[in-house]
Amino acid sequence: MRGTRRTRLCLAGVMAASTLIATPAARAAERTDGHLTDLVNPFIGSQDEGNTFPGAAVPFGMVQLSPDTGHNTGYDYTQNRIRGFSLVHLSGVGCRIGGDLPVLPTTGDVTRTDYAQYAAGFRHADEDASPGYYRVGLDSGIRAELTATARTGVQRYTFPATGRANVLLNAAQALHRPGGSKVEILDDRTVRTEITGHGFCRDTGPYTVHTITRFSRPFTAYGTWDGPTVTEGARTGGGGAFVRFDTTRDRTVEATTALSYVDADGAAANLRAEGGRSFDTVRRRAREEWERRLATVRVRGGAPALRRTFYSSLYRSFLAPNAGSDADGRYLGWDRRVHRARGYTYYQNWSLWDTYRTQAQLLALLAPREARDMARSVVQVDEDGGWLPKWGYGPVETNVMSGDPVTPFLTTAYQTGLLKGFEERAYRALRKNADGVPPAAYPGIGREANAEYLAHGFAPYVWNRPLAKMGDSDYHHGASVTLEYALADAVLAQMARGLGHRADAARYAARAQNYRTLFDPATGFFRPRDAAGAFTGTSDPARAPGFHEGTAWQYQWLVPHDLPGVVRLIGGERAANDRLDGFFAYDRLLADPGRTAREVWVHGDAYAYYNADKYNPMNEPDLTAPYTYLSTGQPWKTTDVVHAALTLFTDGPTGMTGNDDLGTMSAWNVLSSVGLFPIQPGYDTWGLSTPVFDRVDLTLDRRFWPGGRLTVTAPGTSAADRYIQGVRTDGAPHARTYLRTAALRSLRTLAFTVGPRPSEWGTAPSAAPPVLK
């Protein structure tokens, strides 16, 4: 999801990103000691609104300790001053959030309390990052290093020789809009804070984070501040604190900060559980944890830059959701009460409108134990707070984005076997969500336009309807919301059928056809309807209102449960293929794939969603669009489009396609590179396209994937030889353009034969993906 900030996408930077050999990004990517972590470049996406962060984290950790330079969401590679190293960042969000407790080392007297004023300059030549580690040399002469555990951030500062080496802990400023803060100096090594936050695109919340920081040696002096006033010797304050060390002999200071969303006791317990280790020990363990995670996928072939972008995307796919429960299992529920997760980790931060399309499926494949806990956590949100989430941050609903993304998220978990033991609990929550609207007292909007959708078959587009609750409104995006509701109904029907709820299944399957209510035969496109049922807005599909972050051109393919039905509405297979070819600028694509991707598809900045009749690879509504050709008898064109889109992922700071959205775009890169993509989000259909590597070995958890290992081969795959000539599954010919999860579970080998020209493979009507009925 993207916010409202608009910055021009530097196309020249995209084209030159892989040549940035002087940057720390390139240095990080060129290490050659044989570890997969050395292929990861955390700076990718830190420029041109990719909104990633280069700092230290472990997979799915509560803490993401990273520098903030003054950008809306944290770090911007074009900026050269660091305001602090803060505890919480989300990879690729489009609005300000997190940035809690920025900490900065300084020297001399402490006279300023605004971190924009005391920020430290730095140069990229003095900066480096790898999974679980970040280092920078500040212009002040101080070297700062960061690493992390799941619930703590560990800092090491190397000062010049001075009697006034300070560490500033700013509780009053963050990326979000602070709603209040407290700071306490507990003893000569320990500082505690409490920070209340608001925000994320709009003033949602509040939520509170608790921290406790333990230093490696005693302070020689300390103080706190409120507003601009610094009081040396004070132990409490409402703004921040400084602590001072004498580094004339011992120049190094280490500090460990623990975080909790529950209370101060939770932060202290997390510090006891995960603190007490040296910086080097924590750094080594973080690297080992990332190495194990990345080793679930091993690739052979491909240029070095391709491997770097691939493993960097795999890395970002494992950054979220984030642990929300403390080391003792306690977490703050959506009822604002403390609960305890027993036998599982409670997770939070649900960018569901984004992640239901790609990242949920990738985690089900490569991290099923954690993905099961994540699905269980989403069900727990309903059981604690009364309704399923839409876009949850910490323990609060933000109502950011629209539609019904939680349904395909949870039905994906069901289809991949992650809900065993609590399928009916999940189904009850989904059924309530699909058939109703949250009560007025509940902060979430759920399916806000459900009453009209159930009565008339569409969500009306009412652009000037006042917001009933903070966040986005489904009424402001009635056309795309209708399509999203219909997709959710289609996949919920499959879950209902699998659980034996036949009447529900029939009802939801019928509702899944509501996408047809938007089709305007006069224009041949979907159009929004007003509250009276009339088509409204311009008839130009590139400019029609009512589509959230997209146009009618882009949303016409967001009916993955019934693409043959869409094809019939358009006028048949030939008409659909002609429209697809125009949408992807296919003739130009064949002549110059990379240039077409950069100059035709990417037609503006990272937030340029509207007024376009072309594919937008930078945004979620189009993520499944290239795979539409699998349903129209021309599967080779899927490979053409996918491989062109993959050129937008490069190994420099500009190497992301728009916001990463908590791993969504990165997961698209990983899955499309492997040649196995979830073409019907919320169901169990995996579309096939040509891999970009000669061989990919996936190590799978046998508890969820009995085969234990899947090897995908495509010998000789290249820009010239990219067309599928045939596919074999465990040695047997496979004529269809997709696999189902049931087949994938025990599969050991998926072998592609490739060549320089399209073949007849996958062109028969029987080869097309199924319709969900």
Side-chain angles (χ1 to χ4, degrees):
M1 172 272 148
R2 280 52 162 198
T4 56
R5 180 182 173 95
R6 302 176 66 86
T7 300
R8 292 295 299 171
L9 180 68
C10 178
L11 293 177
V14 172
M15 289 160 40
S18 63
T19 66
L20 295 176
I21 60 173
T23 66
R27 290 200 307 275
E30 289 180 351
R31 300 187 187 99
T32 57
D33 63 359
H35 293 287
L36 295 176
T37 47
D38 294 329
L39 295 173
V40 173
N41 178 0
F43 291 98
I44 292 175
S46 61
Q47 187 175 330
D48 287 347
E49 303 302 323
N51 295 343
T52 59
F53 64 87
V58 295
F60 314 119
M62 182 184 291
V63 168
Q64 307 86 36
L65 184 59
S66 189
D68 296 323
T69 62
H71 184 266
N72 188 46
T73 63
Y75 181 94
D76 186 330
Y77 197 82
T78 65
Q79 297 174 333
N80 60 7
R81 291 175 64 80
I82 292 175
R83 299 180 174 189
F85 305 102
S86 63
L87 289 171
V88 178
H89 298 83
L90 297 184
S91 182
V93 293
C95 298
R96 61 178 68 247
I97 198 166
D100 299 289
L101 193 64
V103 177
L104 191 72
T106 68
T107 58
D109 294 331
V110 178
T111 59
R112 290 174 291 186
T113 62
D114 181 350
Y115 67 0
Q117 295 180 4
Y118 65 66
F122 75 102
R123 296 175 302 140
H124 291 306
D126 296 326
E127 190 182 33
D128 194 17
S130 60
Y133 177 72
Y134 173 86
R135 174 192 60 77
V136 65
L138 304 176
D139 290 352
S140 60
I142 302 169
R143 183 177 67 196
E145 298 173 272
L146 313 177
T147 189
T149 69
R151 298 173 180 85
T152 72
V154 186
Q155 305 152 74
R156 179 164 66 190
Y157 301 125
T158 303
F159 290 91
T162 177
R164 289 179 174 270
N166 313 305
V167 178
L168 311 185
L169 299 94
N170 193 333
Q173 292 182 282
L175 299 174
H176 59 73
R177 300 169 182 85
S181 59
K182 295 192 301 184
V183 60
E184 303 172 83
I185 296 176
L186 300 182
D187 57 39
D188 64 358
R189 293 185 183 216
T190 313
V191 180
R192 182 168 65 194
T193 72
E194 179 181 301
I195 302 166
T196 298
H198 296 267
F200 188 49
C201 297
R202 295 157 189 86
D203 260 340
T204 52
Y207 60 92
T208 301
V209 294
H210 305 266
T211 80
I212 187 165
T213 302
R214 180 77 171 170
F215 288 84
S216 59
R217 54 189 173 109
F219 327 136
T220 59
Y222 57 83
T224 64
W225 67 77
D226 289 282
T229 304
V230 180
T231 305
E232 187 162 347
R235 287 186 172 271
T236 61
F242 77 89
V243 297
R244 179 168 294 150
F245 302 88
D246 185 339
T247 60
T248 53
R249 292 186 178 180
D250 183 356
R251 296 174 53 196
T252 301
V253 175
E254 294 186 8
T256 301
T257 302
L259 174 66
S260 171
Y261 287 83
V262 178
D263 53 27
D265 290 342
N270 290 341
L271 184 63
R272 288 192 300 271
E274 300 182 15
R277 304 177 182 93
S278 71
F279 183 93
D280 288 331
T281 297
V282 176
R283 178 188 176 186
R284 184 180 67 253
R285 291 184 178 181
R287 179 181 173 89
E288 290 169 350
E289 189 169 349
W290 276 114
E291 193 68 32
R292 287 193 297 271
R293 186 69 62 176
L294 297 173
T296 58
V297 184
R298 291 191 176 273
V299 303
R300 299 183 191 177
L306 183 63
R307 294 195 297 273
R308 291 195 294 265
T309 59
F310 177 84
Y311 277 106
S312 297
S313 289
L314 186 61
Y315 160 78
R316 290 189 299 272
S317 299
F318 292 136
L319 287 172
N322 307 101
S325 52
D326 291 335
D328 62 3
R330 294 190 311 148
Y331 68 90
L332 188 66
W334 284 40
D335 55 0
R336 318 300 292 179
R337 296 179 180 178
V338 178
H339 303 266
R340 192 182 299 273
R342 300 183 186 278
Y344 74 104
T345 298
Y346 178 83
Y347 287 92
Q348 58 190 21
N349 301 338
W350 304 108
S351 181
L352 296 173
W353 187 81
D354 310 289
T355 59
Y356 88 77
R357 308 165 198 260
T358 59
Q359 196 232 18
Q361 293 84 355
L362 182 65
L363 296 188
L365 188 66
L366 298 180
R369 181 175 61 83
E370 292 85 354
R372 175 178 166 84
D373 284 359
M374 292 167 189
R376 185 170 179 179
S377 300
V378 168
V379 174
Q380 199 65 49
V381 167
D382 171 82
E383 295 179 352
D384 293 342
W387 212 266
L388 289 167
K390 178 166 271 188
W391 208 122
Y393 177 69
V396 300
E397 175 64 81
T398 71
N399 290 321
V400 171
M401 304 314 296
S402 56
D404 179 15
V406 71
T407 293
F409 174 84
L410 281 177
T411 60
T412 289
Y414 169 74
Q415 296 292 347
T416 50
L418 302 180
L419 296 185
K420 287 185 178 178
F422 60 104
E423 299 99 326
E424 289 293 344
R425 289 169 55 190
Y427 181 73
R428 286 195 298 272
L430 286 169
R431 188 177 188 272
K432 177 175 63 177
N433 175 75
D435 291 343
V437 177
Y442 184 76
I445 63 171
R447 284 194 181 200
E448 185 185 20
N450 219 17
E452 295 90 339
Y453 175 80
L454 297 182
H456 308 298
F458 63 90
Y461 165 61
V462 188
W463 70 270
N464 59 350
R465 181 185 174 100
L467 291 173
K469 300 175 183 179
M470 194 58 66
D472 287 309
S473 171
D474 281 2
Y475 291 102
H476 295 174
H477 312 283
S480 58
V481 161
T482 299
L483 299 175
E484 300 264 14
Y485 286 4
L487 170 59
D489 284 338
V491 295
L492 186 56
Q494 304 306 310
M495 182 177 179
R497 186 172 293 114
L499 294 175
H501 303 293
R502 295 175 181 258
D504 283 354
R507 183 162 54 91
Y508 294 133
R511 278 167 36 178
Q513 294 296 305
N514 283 341
Y515 74 88
R516 297 172 178 271
T517 65
L518 298 185
F519 190 76
D520 180 6
T523 65
F525 284 86
F526 295 132
R527 291 184 64 189
R529 291 183 180 270
D530 62 21
F535 288 120
T536 186
T538 176
S539 60
D540 182 350
R543 290 169 174 77
F547 295 92
H548 205 169
E549 296 189 0
T551 71
W553 269 99
Q554 292 152 3
Y555 270 95
Q556 68 185 314
W557 315 116
L558 192 62
V559 191
H561 57 286
D562 188 16
L563 283 172
V566 174
V567 168
R568 288 191 292 273
L569 289 175
I570 290 173
E573 201 168 87
R574 176 176 293 182
N577 279 321
D578 287 345
R579 187 176 291 186
L580 282 165
D581 290 349
F583 179 63
F584 291 114
Y586 187 71
D587 289 344
R588 297 180 64 177
L589 172 68
L590 288 181
D592 193 337
R595 185 173 183 178
T596 302
R598 293 189 303 270
E599 298 182 4
V600 180
W601 297 348
V602 180
H603 62 277
D605 64 35
Y607 303 122
Y609 310 126
Y610 303 106
N611 303 325
D613 63 356
K614 293 295 183 287
Y615 170 52
N616 184 351
M618 303 166 67
N619 204 25
E620 279 72 10
D622 274 356
L623 291 183
T624 62
Y627 295 88
T628 304
Y629 282 118
L630 303 184
S631 295
T632 63
Q634 297 185 335
W636 67 89
K637 292 183 178 179
T638 287
T639 289
D640 288 330
V641 175
V642 167
H643 283 209
L646 288 171
T647 67
L648 295 171
F649 292 85
T650 61
D651 63 346
T654 60
M656 280 294 303
T657 59
N659 300 159
D660 195 28
D661 292 322
L662 277 69
T664 299
M665 309 308 275
S666 292
W668 188 93
N669 182 15
V670 171
L671 290 162
S672 293
S673 296
V674 172
L676 196 62
F677 191 84
I679 56 175
Q680 293 179 315
Y683 195 50
D684 69 344
T685 313
W686 302 78
L688 303 179
S689 64
T690 306
V692 299
F693 298 105
D694 290 339
R695 177 171 173 152
V696 181
D697 290 294
L698 306 175
T699 300
L700 307 178
D701 189 330
R702 291 183 182 275
R703 290 170 294 180
F704 300 90
W705 301 94
R709 178 178 292 274
L710 175 62
T711 297
V712 181
T713 58
T717 183
S718 68
D721 293 328
R722 65 177 182 266
Y723 296 113
I724 298 173
Q725 307 297 301
V727 175
R728 288 182 173 270
T729 54
D730 286 341
H734 183 82
R736 292 179 175 175
T737 59
Y738 65 94
L739 285 167
R740 299 283 292 274
T741 296
L744 198 59
R745 284 193 186 285
S746 58
L747 193 65
R748 300 300 298 270
T749 62
L750 174 62
F752 294 83
T753 302
V754 298
R757 289 176 294 278
S759 72
E760 293 297 312
W761 177 85
T763 59
S766 59
V771 174
L772 306 188
K773 298 179 179 179

